[in-house]
């Protein structure tokens, strides 16, 4: 008797899950949207990937920072990608991206940030700012004080050892 009830409950649960699974996957398609790099200068190339089987048959991405761009499927999965060129006149700030695939949309708020000019790298910005005359004078005084103090300490220790 218990086994019969357990089998009936398992069959009912399986039927509910089996009927709900296609509906759930249809609601969630496309599922993920990623923009790389996340910080980009005006005029830069932005690569956007979108997960979802409905994007395999075509789709597009839109944003106020770049023109509408078509998605292209990546072989071997359910991911599509597009490379968009950010407008040269785009205002610096965060921008949303919306993917349109198979009649469904997915919007990622603040997916990337446009900055004015290029990304600072290499010297970490040290080429734009350096030590002022005051900084050099203070540093020189500290080094001189350390050398004089070390010399005095060494000379005193030396004279104590002779006595």
């Amino acid at each position: 008797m218990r086994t019969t009830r357990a089998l009936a409950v398992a069959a009912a649960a399986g039927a509910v899950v089996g009927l709900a699974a296609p509906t759930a996957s249809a609601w969630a398609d496309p599922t993920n949207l990623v923009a790389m790099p996340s910080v980009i200068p005006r005029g830069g190339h932005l690569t956007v990937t979108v997960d979802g089987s409905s994007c395999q048959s075509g789709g597009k991405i839109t944003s106020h920072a770049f023109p509408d761009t078509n998605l292209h499927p990546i072989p071997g999965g359910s991911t599509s990608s597009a490379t968009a060129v950010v407008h040269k006149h785009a205002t610096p700030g965060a921008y949303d991206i919306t993917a349109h695939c198979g009649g469904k949309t997915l919007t990622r708020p603040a997916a990337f940030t446009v900055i004015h000019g290029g990304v600072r790298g290499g010297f970490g910005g040290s080429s734009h700012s350096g030590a002022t005359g005051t900084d050099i004078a203070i540093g020189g005084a500290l080094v001189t004080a350390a050398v004089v103090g070390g010399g005095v300490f060494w000379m005193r220790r030396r004279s104590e050892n002779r006595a």
Side-chain angles (χ1 to χ4, degrees):
M1 187 82 154
R2 278 188 176 167
T3 306
T4 308
R5 276 192 217 160
L7 287 174
V9 169
V16 169
V17 170
L19 292 174
T23 306
S25 67
W27 287 337
D29 200 23
T31 57
N32 191 24
L33 188 147
V34 178
M36 291 306 262
S38 61
V39 177
I40 189 166
R42 294 187 274 189
H45 293 264
L46 183 72
T47 301
V48 179
T49 56
V50 181
D51 294 335
S53 58
S54 65
C55 295
Q56 289 292 94
S57 58
K60 67 179 180 177
I61 53 170
T62 60
S63 177
H64 294 295
F66 56 78
D68 294 0
T69 307
N70 291 326
L71 287 164
H72 303 286
I74 297 174
S78 62
T79 304
S80 298
S81 73
T83 301
V85 178
V86 176
H87 293 301
K88 294 217 183 262
H89 63 271
T91 305
Y95 285 90
D96 301 346
I97 298 177
T98 301
H100 305 273
C101 301
K104 301 195 182 335
T105 61
L106 173 67
T107 299
R108 170 120 187 258
F112 67 101
T113 303
V114 174
I115 60 171
H116 178 68
V119 177
R120 295 175 101 183
F123 294 113
S126 65
S127 62
H128 294 297
S129 62
T132 64
T134 305
D135 295 335
I136 293 172
I138 291 170
L142 289 172
V143 169
T144 302
V147 168
V148 169
V152 169
F153 178 75
W154 182 68
M155 293 298 284
R156 288 188 65 186
R157 296 281 286 168
R158 193 170 170 218
S159 65
E160 287 175 5
N161 289 341
R162 289 186 185 180

